[in-house]
Amino acid sequence: MEIKQISVFIENRKGRLKKALDTLSKAEINIRALSLAERAKYGILRLIVSDNEKAKSVLEENKFIVKENDVIVVEVPDKPNGLNSILEVLTDADINVEYLYAFVGKKTDEAIVVMRLENIEDGIKVLKSQNANLLTKEYIENL
């Protein structure tokens, strides 16, 4: 159950992040999760949104560079060491986590983690074999 994540490359200067978020807001695109990683000259804004195609289109119209990546979204216990329960499964299966970010939803008692894995298909298989709750795009949109 891969989910498409949008990555937006943003110049590291005043107002660019706000411009990207304003662009999405004006297009009535809801942001379900986000992460911002900064570099010296640019940042990478990673987003799970309500409408990827529309988001890509409006961002590109406003001169942003946009890429799409496959990620998985999984629930983990919202308690100390909860994330490690999932990371242990992936490590034991020799699957590398390239990056992740997490949030807590309103409709669940679990924490929710977005993960980019070196091998998404193997990650999905191994997590499903351990009864991990992989979330769908529809579920995330309704959080």
Side-chain angles (χ1 to χ4, degrees):
M1 284 183 241
E2 299 114 20
I3 292 179
K4 296 292 184 187
Q5 167 194 265
I6 293 176
S7 295
V8 184
F9 297 87
I10 298 179
E11 297 162 276
N12 195 359
R13 63 182 171 95
K14 184 173 76 176
R16 287 302 284 168
L17 175 60
K18 183 174 183 331
K19 170 108 172 125
L21 299 180
D22 283 347
T23 298
L24 295 173
S25 176
K26 288 176 186 168
E28 297 185 357
I29 295 166
N30 196 7
I31 298 170
R32 305 310 302 157
L34 68 81
S35 168
L36 179 62
E38 54 89 19
R39 305 274 185 191
K41 295 184 180 183
Y42 65 93
I44 301 173
L45 177 63
R46 294 182 173 113
L47 301 162
I48 306 293
V49 298
S50 59
D51 187 335
N52 280 19
E53 292 307 313
K54 188 175 180 182
K56 283 174 41 183
S57 177
V58 298
L59 287 165
E60 288 170 347
E61 287 170 13
N62 283 274
K63 310 291 187 236
F64 289 97
I65 297 170
V66 182
K67 303 287 183 197
E68 241 181 0
N69 303 92
D70 289 328
V71 294
I72 61 172
V73 182
V74 61
E75 285 184 324
V76 301
D78 187 14
K79 62 182 183 181
N81 210 37
L83 179 57
N84 266 346
S85 64
I86 295 296
L87 295 179
E88 183 176 356
V89 169
L90 295 170
T91 300
D92 289 349
D94 199 30
I95 297 170
N96 183 43
V97 177
E98 293 179 355
Y99 60 81
L100 63 80
Y101 50 100
F103 60 101
V104 178
K106 294 183 269 188
K107 295 183 180 180
T108 180
D109 291 331
E110 304 296 311
I112 300 168
V113 178
V114 179
M115 296 181 171
R116 171 78 173 158
L117 305 177
E118 206 168 60
N119 186 322
I120 297 245
E121 291 175 13
D122 286 350
I124 290 170
K125 286 178 192 171
V126 73
L127 289 172
K128 281 185 174 180
S129 76
Q130 297 297 311
N131 298 315
N133 188 18
L134 296 168
L135 304 180
T136 64
K137 181 163 180 55
E138 294 75 24
Y139 182 88
I140 293 166
E141 287 173 0
N142 292 307
L143 284 176

mmCIF file of all heavy atoms in Angstrom, residues 9 36 48-49 60 75 130:
data_model
loop_
_atom_site.group_PDB
_atom_site.id
_atom_site.type_symbol
_atom_site.label_atom_id
_atom_site.label_comp_id
_atom_site.label_asym_id
_atom_site.label_seq_id
_atom_site.Cartn_x
_atom_site.Cartn_y
_atom_site.Cartn_z
ATOM 1 N N PHE A 9 10.868 21.384 -3.815
ATOM 2 C CA PHE A 9 12.166 21.998 -3.571
ATOM 3 C C PHE A 9 11.960 23.500 -3.442
ATOM 4 O O PHE A 9 11.436 24.147 -4.345
ATOM 5 C CB PHE A 9 13.137 21.640 -4.698
ATOM 6 C CG PHE A 9 13.385 20.156 -4.754
ATOM 7 C CD1 PHE A 9 12.549 19.321 -5.477
ATOM 8 C CD2 PHE A 9 14.428 19.595 -4.038
ATOM 9 C CE1 PHE A 9 12.755 17.953 -5.497
ATOM 10 C CE2 PHE A 9 14.637 18.228 -4.048
ATOM 11 C CZ PHE A 9 13.807 17.397 -4.785
ATOM 12 N N LEU A 36 9.797 19.346 6.689
ATOM 13 C CA LEU A 36 10.677 20.280 5.976
ATOM 14 C C LEU A 36 12.100 20.001 6.411
ATOM 15 O O LEU A 36 12.426 20.081 7.593
ATOM 16 C CB LEU A 36 10.303 21.730 6.282
ATOM 17 C CG LEU A 36 11.166 22.798 5.614
ATOM 18 C CD1 LEU A 36 11.083 22.719 4.094
ATOM 19 C CD2 LEU A 36 10.768 24.178 6.101
ATOM 20 N N ILE A 48 2.039 14.984 2.353
ATOM 21 C CA ILE A 48 0.934 14.091 2.016
ATOM 22 C C ILE A 48 -0.276 15.025 1.927
ATOM 23 O O ILE A 48 -0.598 15.728 2.888
ATOM 24 C CB ILE A 48 0.698 13.018 3.098
ATOM 25 C CG1 ILE A 48 1.978 12.226 3.399
ATOM 26 C CG2 ILE A 48 -0.467 12.116 2.711
ATOM 27 C CD1 ILE A 48 2.474 11.344 2.287
ATOM 28 N N VAL A 49 -0.905 15.078 0.760
ATOM 29 C CA VAL A 49 -1.994 16.035 0.525
ATOM 30 C C VAL A 49 -3.248 15.328 0.028
ATOM 31 O O VAL A 49 -3.213 14.169 -0.359
ATOM 32 C CB VAL A 49 -1.567 17.134 -0.487
ATOM 33 C CG1 VAL A 49 -0.405 17.952 0.038
ATOM 34 C CG2 VAL A 49 -1.226 16.535 -1.842
ATOM 35 N N GLU A 60 3.679 23.763 -9.629
ATOM 36 C CA GLU A 60 4.515 23.957 -10.822
ATOM 37 C C GLU A 60 4.148 25.254 -11.545
ATOM 38 O O GLU A 60 5.026 25.956 -12.043
ATOM 39 C CB GLU A 60 4.411 22.745 -11.744
ATOM 40 C CG GLU A 60 5.143 21.541 -11.178
ATOM 41 C CD GLU A 60 4.887 20.245 -11.924
ATOM 42 O OE1 GLU A 60 3.944 20.173 -12.756
ATOM 43 O OE2 GLU A 60 5.641 19.276 -11.667
ATOM 44 N N GLU A 75 0.727 2.801 11.260
ATOM 45 C CA GLU A 75 0.459 3.149 12.645
ATOM 46 C C GLU A 75 1.480 2.455 13.533
ATOM 47 O O GLU A 75 1.871 1.312 13.274
ATOM 48 C CB GLU A 75 -0.937 2.702 13.064
ATOM 49 C CG GLU A 75 -2.037 3.574 12.519
ATOM 50 C CD GLU A 75 -3.405 3.167 13.031
ATOM 51 O OE1 GLU A 75 -3.659 1.965 13.214
ATOM 52 O OE2 GLU A 75 -4.227 4.076 13.233
ATOM 53 N N GLN A 130 3.963 -8.992 9.879
ATOM 54 C CA GLN A 130 3.983 -8.755 11.322
ATOM 55 C C GLN A 130 2.702 -8.048 11.799
ATOM 56 O O GLN A 130 2.650 -7.516 12.898
ATOM 57 C CB GLN A 130 5.208 -7.919 11.691
ATOM 58 C CG GLN A 130 6.515 -8.617 11.398
ATOM 59 C CD GLN A 130 6.675 -9.877 12.231
ATOM 60 O OE1 GLN A 130 6.478 -9.855 13.435
ATOM 61 N NE2 GLN A 130 7.014 -10.982 11.582
#
